Amino acid sequence: METPPALVPQMLYRHCDMEQFGFETTADLTDLAGIVGQDRAMEALRFGVGMPHDGYNLYALGSPGLGKHTFIRDFLAKRAEGEPNPGDWCYVNNFEQPHKPLALSLPQGKGKELRRDMEHLVDDLKSAIPAAFESDEYRKRLEDANAEFKDRQEKALKELGGDAETQGIALLQTPNGFAFGPTRDGTVISPADYETLPDKEKERVEAVVADFQERLQKIIHQIPHWRRERREKIRQLNQEYSLSAVGHPIDALKEKYAPWPKVVAYLDAVRKDVVDHVDEFRKSEDGSMSPLGMGSGDAFRRFQVNVLIDRDEEPGAPVVYEAHPMVGNLLGRVEFMSQLGALVTDFTLIKPGALHCANNGYLLLDAYKILTQPFAWEGLKRALKSKQIRIESLGQMLSLVSTVALEPEPIPLDVKVIVFGERLLYYLLCEYDPDFIELFKVAADFEEEIDRSDETQQLYARLIATLARKAQLLPFDRGAVARIIEHSSRLADDGEKLSTRMSGVADLLREAEFWAREGCLAVVGRAEVQRAIDEQIHRSDRLRQHIQEEILRGTLMIDTQGERVGQVNGLSVIDMGTYAFGQPTRITATTRLGEGEVVDIEREVDLGGPIHSKGVLILAAFLAQRYARNHQLSLNASLVFEQSYGEVEGDSASTAELCALLSSLANVPIKQCLAVTGSVNQFGQIQPIGGVNEKIEGFFDICFARGLSGEQGVLIPSANIKHLMLRRDVVEAAEQGLFHVYGIDTVDQALTLLTGQEAGAIDEFGDVPEGTVNFRVAECLADFSKKRHAHPPEEKSRRFKRRRDDSH
């Protein structure tokens, strides 16, 4: 079997030739319209935004930092400029049902105009109505009405008194009312004189008085009716003068707002309410207190106009991003104010939500934020399905309160919603929320990376120029652009790809420009970009430095020279969010006669993840498939990550674990100057893994610190060669022959490199050349099987029992 050669240095890093660029600095480039490599997402966005039917809202899938927000907002802003402005929305008082305010739709700018007109109307009526009621004509007609009542009452009493006087009876007015008394010579006689009258005279007087008392009662009973007639005449008089004061200004407003029937109907209701409550205007200047304890001006709050949405200065359709989509911020809310220790509210305290602001336009939301706000997601779905915005408090929604609350008239909803979120949230919503697919039918899937070609590198250069110009940064020269493109490939973990994570690129541009300004430079060069990258790493690599220090001090045991049986250097990656680094890990294996079980110690103590455990089970299947076709696999093996105190996950160490197992079985030592990474399948083929650059650099750093011997290196899957974008110092060491990277396809190639001995190819009959590693492994396993069958478990247990009995 041919030993794989070390990779040539040109395969370890894909350089970007800056000579391909026809510019000196990014100042010579034009801005890039759109976004690089997101054709699929752009087509989905155009389709979803242009589709007029219900349910075609969008979900933008992708990791944070891809530029989804910026691109979509810019796209929508340009599209919205050519769309009509949806106009204003106002809430006004419902005079028939004050707890159900009315919603008015008006063209752009008319909301504020109606509010001013109503303010002016109230101010005019405050002076016009008192003036009308203070006129001489009104006073005269009011006096006439009062005099008519008084004359009618006096006339009736006078007639009654005259008739009584002819009968010798006087009508007397006392503090307690009216009374009758007998008279003599026109003078009321005293009670004593009355007693001296003959009985017949007394009987006559009492009969006459009783008759007049009955007539008096009839008159008294008519007085309330006369008073009602007087009040009705006065009311009609007041209504007449109120209408004369109110009619002209309201008619003028009705004529002005004639194109909007709902506003005209509201003005008619205002007229009626003013006439019905004209006394409030007549007393509005006296500075009295309203029943709620505030100024009398509060009595006129019901005539105010609450301009909920004012788009007077907004061109085109609205584009709204809601950063805090709680229920109130999304659907609107009703606020309260404190009066005399109580919370009160009215239609003027209705506040808009993001749906109101984005109505007839576009609303942008973050999926995670809206899903973590109680009831916000359900409220959004309810509004989209009903196509109207209904403002309700949480107490009303959950039926927690039974008091009367405001119920504003729902506003018709026509909005295109774009939700940003990660792919996992999208798939979870598709699986568990049946409404999601009906309401968000368009998925705009943003690419995490794009192919790296000459064409995309040119576009990437224009993208860098666009980002620098938007951020008002210094221009970047060709070398700086080339280094940024190379770093983008490193961010993508692929030499043939470029990262589309724009936030990382923008951060690098700003930091490189900072170092350029520190050096008083007018143009950002390659050195400043490299320094920005180095500084980013330095700010985050404290843990990496401490781990490497412990390895060099011998606290964490890693060998980089010598040979060991059943011991190999595996490689792992520690991801700290914004920074990841690799470190070598000692993996050991022990083997013995047993029943075919490969024990993963990490799994036994619940420190092994499911993918790692799967990899170990594949090792057992590989051993049985290759070495125990004709007999039972009769070994027990133990695998462990030494000095590992946290969870181990992933199958990238399965090649290293298999090599350690085979080394133990064959009793062949493994070179400790090499490390290996890669996943293995049941047929011994090496599969690609992630984090290959970090793993190589992690082992290189330890070897470099101890001194490069020219023998150290790392074995990686051949499928990972295209992903290599190693640091410059690693590439330079490879150029000098001090460090090596090998690409392997099979476990036999790994064994050959790690042991320095021929692994041995197994032919179609299962035979292996003698003296090879595979021959020794097969021989060991065959010997285990013979011993196990010579002493089966039942016989061994009986012999053990006899020995134990003999000892007793």
Side-chain angles (χ1 to χ4, degrees):
M1 179 179 295
E2 184 177 350
T3 303
L7 301 180
V8 296
Q10 291 77 10
M11 302 178 71
L12 305 182
Y13 188 87
R14 181 178 175 183
H15 291 272
C16 177
D17 184 11
M18 66 179 184
E19 297 302 324
Q20 67 179 301
F21 300 125
F23 60 89
E24 292 299 324
T25 70
T26 54
D28 303 331
L29 296 175
T30 58
D31 284 347
L32 180 66
I35 190 169
V36 178
Q38 302 293 357
D39 294 340
R40 179 185 289 103
M42 290 176 65
E43 291 172 3
L45 182 61
R46 291 193 186 98
F47 170 76
V49 170
M51 176 62 74
H53 301 288
D54 296 340
Y56 285 87
N57 299 296
L58 292 95
Y59 188 104
L61 299 82
S63 302
L66 296 178
K68 303 188 298 295
H69 276 265
T70 302
F71 167 67
I72 291 180
R73 292 185 75 167
D74 291 345
F75 175 85
L76 294 178
K78 292 179 182 178
R79 181 184 177 90
E81 288 177 358
E83 296 181 354
N85 189 296
D88 303 339
W89 278 97
C90 308
Y91 270 113
V92 294
N93 186 36
N94 183 344
F95 296 99
E96 297 294 330
Q97 295 178 296
H99 68 289
K100 293 184 177 181
L102 302 175
L104 301 180
S105 176
L106 289 167
Q108 180 182 11
K110 286 293 183 179
K112 286 197 302 186
E113 191 172 340
L114 177 61
R115 179 174 60 189
R116 288 193 299 267
D117 288 341
M118 288 302 298
E119 290 173 353
H120 294 159
L121 174 65
V122 172
D123 290 339
D124 292 343
L125 294 180
K126 285 180 181 179
S127 57
I129 290 178
F133 283 90
E134 291 172 2
S135 65
D136 293 338
E137 181 182 357
Y138 173 79
R139 291 178 182 276
K140 183 179 182 305
R141 294 181 63 180
L142 179 63
E143 290 174 359
D144 290 344
N146 289 328
E148 180 182 356
F149 168 75
K150 186 177 179 181
D151 291 345
R152 180 183 291 185
Q153 181 178 339
E154 289 178 351
K155 180 180 179 182
L157 292 174
K158 186 175 181 181
E159 289 179 356
L160 180 62
D163 293 343
E165 187 176 351
T166 60
Q167 298 292 330
I169 303 297
L171 176 62
L172 306 175
Q173 186 171 5
T174 67
N176 295 326
F178 294 95
F180 292 96
T183 63
R184 179 184 296 163
D185 298 330
T187 303
V188 179
I189 63 177
S190 65
D193 293 339
Y194 177 76
E195 290 299 328
T196 62
L197 292 176
D199 292 339
K200 190 174 182 179
E201 181 63 20
K202 288 181 181 180
E203 291 175 0
R204 185 191 71 81
V205 170
E206 290 174 0
V208 172
V209 168
D211 180 58
F212 285 119
Q213 283 284 4
E214 184 177 350
R215 291 177 59 185
L216 178 62
Q217 287 299 321
K218 291 180 180 180
I219 294 173
I220 292 175
H221 288 160
Q222 282 184 317
I223 289 176
H225 175 69
W226 297 338
R227 286 176 178 167
R228 283 194 299 271
E229 290 181 351
R230 182 190 64 172
R231 284 197 300 269
E232 178 62 23
K233 287 183 178 181
I234 294 175
R235 189 188 68 79
Q236 292 177 358
L237 179 63
N238 291 342
Q239 185 175 7
E240 178 185 345
Y241 276 80
S242 299
L243 287 172
S244 66
V246 174
H248 177 70
I250 288 188
D251 287 341
L253 290 179
K254 287 177 63 178
E255 182 178 354
K256 179 178 180 180
Y257 294 97
W260 303 284
K262 202 168 181 180
V263 179
V264 174
Y266 166 69
L267 292 173
D268 286 334
V270 170
R271 187 208 311 264
K272 181 178 182 301
D273 186 79
V274 171
V275 172
D276 291 342
H277 301 87
V278 69
D279 288 342
E280 294 179 4
F281 288 88
R282 297 175 62 184
K283 301 174 182 178
S284 63
E285 305 296 332
D286 62 4
S288 62
M289 298 297 289
S290 70
L292 291 177
M294 302 183 70
S296 60
D298 285 346
F300 303 109
R301 285 175 65 92
R302 66 183 186 275
F303 301 112
Q304 293 181 9
V305 175
N306 180 3
V307 182
L308 194 73
I309 298 298
D310 175 25
R311 295 197 173 96
D312 187 18
E313 300 179 358
E314 295 181 10
V319 179
V320 178
Y321 170 66
E322 178 53 56
H324 186 43
M326 57 186 294
V327 175
N329 292 348
L330 190 64
L331 300 173
R333 63 193 181 277
V334 178
E335 295 183 344
F336 293 83
M337 59 184 177
S338 177
Q339 289 184 355
L340 300 176
L343 293 177
V344 297
T345 187
D346 61 23
F347 72 96
T348 63
L349 298 177
I350 299 174
K351 303 301 178 183
L355 284 173
H356 296 94
C357 299
N359 202 3
N360 297 108
Y362 307 94
L363 175 62
L364 283 63
L365 298 167
D366 284 315
Y368 179 79
K369 291 180 179 179
I370 190 172
L371 288 171
T372 53
Q373 289 294 332
F375 310 105
W377 178 248
E378 292 301 320
L380 174 64
K381 292 193 299 180
R382 185 166 55 251
L384 291 176
K385 286 192 289 187
S386 64
K387 301 181 68 173
Q388 58 180 212
I389 313 171
R390 185 181 298 276
I391 299 177
E392 293 179 307
S393 67
L394 283 177
Q396 289 176 288
M397 292 170 57
L398 302 177
S399 300
L400 298 178
V401 294
S402 58
T403 56
V404 176
L406 284 187
E407 299 177 21
E409 180 183 1
I411 291 177
L413 177 63
D414 181 14
V415 67
K416 189 70 70 173
V417 180
I418 298 94
V419 174
F420 301 90
E422 297 193 16
R423 291 181 174 83
L424 177 60
L425 284 177
Y426 176 79
Y427 300 134
L428 288 174
L429 287 169
C430 290
E431 182 69 21
Y432 295 107
D433 189 345
D435 297 326
F436 178 71
I437 295 298
E438 294 299 319
L439 295 175
F440 293 87
K441 297 181 179 180
V442 182
D445 199 347
F446 282 75
E447 298 284 355
E448 308 281 335
E449 55 192 30
I450 58 174
D451 292 334
R452 180 178 171 184
S453 63
D454 291 342
E455 180 184 359
T456 55
Q457 288 183 157
Q458 296 288 347
L459 291 174
Y460 219 82
R462 289 180 59 194
L463 173 64
I464 293 169
T466 303
L467 294 174
R469 199 169 290 119
K470 282 185 176 180
Q472 299 181 345
L473 305 178
L474 294 174
F476 288 69
D477 65 20
R478 292 186 295 172
V481 171
R483 182 65 188 96
I484 293 170
I485 291 175
E486 293 167 356
H487 183 65
S488 178
S489 285
R490 175 59 187 262
L491 292 177
D493 268 334
D494 194 329
E496 298 177 357
K497 299 288 184 179
L498 291 173
S499 171
T500 58
R501 187 172 176 271
M502 293 299 102
S503 63
V505 175
D507 290 342
L508 180 60
L509 295 180
R510 286 187 285 265
E511 293 173 22
E513 195 241 14
F514 171 81
W515 295 115
R517 290 189 183 277
E518 286 286 301
C520 300
L521 300 177
V523 177
V524 183
R526 185 183 185 95
E528 287 70 45
V529 174
Q530 184 61 51
R531 182 174 181 183
I533 296 171
D534 294 340
E535 291 292 338
Q536 285 181 347
I537 295 173
H538 179 68
R539 290 194 297 270
S540 304
D541 72 343
R542 183 190 63 83
L543 181 60
R544 179 187 69 88
Q545 182 179 346
H546 283 301
I547 290 176
Q548 291 184 0
E549 181 182 344
E550 294 304 317
I551 293 174
L552 297 176
R553 294 176 63 191
T555 306
L556 296 176
M557 293 184 289
I558 299 293
D559 292 334
T560 54
Q561 60 184 359
E563 297 180 343
R564 299 287 188 278
V565 174
Q567 176 179 306
V568 67
N569 289 323
L571 297 171
S572 59
V573 174
I574 297 177
D575 193 342
M576 301 175 63
T578 59
Y579 176 66
F581 64 91
Q583 72 168 68
T585 302
R586 175 178 289 181
I587 299 174
T588 60
T590 60
T591 55
R592 55 206 171 273
L593 177 65
E595 300 179 5
E597 182 181 9
V598 178
V599 177
D600 176 15
I601 294 179
E602 312 296 332
R603 181 181 61 182
E604 295 298 319
V605 295
D606 294 329
L607 288 179
I611 298 178
H612 177 259
S613 299
K614 174 187 174 184
V616 174
L617 294 175
I618 289 175
L619 302 187
F622 169 80
L623 292 175
Q625 180 270 339
R626 171 173 278 199
Y627 302 108
R629 291 183 180 180
N630 301 319
H631 58 79
Q632 190 171 357
L633 189 62
S634 303
L635 88 156
N636 275 0
S638 300
L639 289 168
V640 67
F641 281 65
E642 303 290 357
Q643 293 183 289
S644 172
Y645 307 105
E647 182 176 343
V648 176
E649 179 59 312
D651 62 352
S652 65
S654 56
T655 298
E657 292 173 318
L658 179 57
C659 290
L661 271 176
L662 297 177
S663 168
S664 176
L665 288 169
N667 198 28
V668 174
I670 290 177
K671 298 177 182 180
Q672 301 301 297
C673 61
L674 296 175
V676 61
T677 183
S679 169
V680 66
N681 63 22
Q682 294 186 103
F683 302 105
Q685 297 170 330
I686 307 301
Q687 302 170 145
I689 43 81
V692 64
N693 293 293
E694 289 82 2
K695 292 175 178 179
I696 295 173
E697 292 167 356
F699 188 67
F700 171 82
D701 289 338
I702 299 301
C703 296
F704 180 82
R706 289 177 173 173
L708 295 176
S709 64
E711 297 181 352
Q712 292 108 333
V714 175
L715 283 61
I716 66 170
S718 295
N720 281 120
I721 294 175
K722 59 181 174 291
H723 300 145
L724 294 178
M725 287 295 293
L726 295 172
R727 288 196 321 248
R728 184 62 196 163
D729 55 346
V730 182
V731 178
E732 289 175 353
E735 290 173 346
Q736 298 170 17
L738 299 177
F739 192 79
H740 310 283
V741 178
Y742 302 91
I744 56 175
D745 295 304
T746 66
V747 68
D748 291 334
Q749 293 177 339
L751 282 174
T752 300
L753 288 168
L754 290 171
T755 63
Q757 301 182 26
E758 181 66 32
I762 301 177
D763 61 22
E764 58 183 352
F765 303 105
D767 296 329
V768 189
E770 292 189 16
T772 61
V773 176
N774 281 326
F775 179 83
R776 294 182 181 182
V777 172
E779 190 176 43
C780 177
L781 290 175
D783 182 57
F784 280 172
S785 179
K786 289 178 183 178
K787 290 180 180 179
R788 184 166 182 266
H789 285 88
H791 302 288
E794 297 81 2
E795 182 180 343
K796 287 192 293 183
S797 63
R798 288 197 299 270
R799 286 187 297 161
F800 176 75
K801 184 177 185 299
R802 286 199 299 271
R803 287 197 301 269
R804 188 177 61 182
D805 292 342
D806 293 343
S807 66
H808 286 303

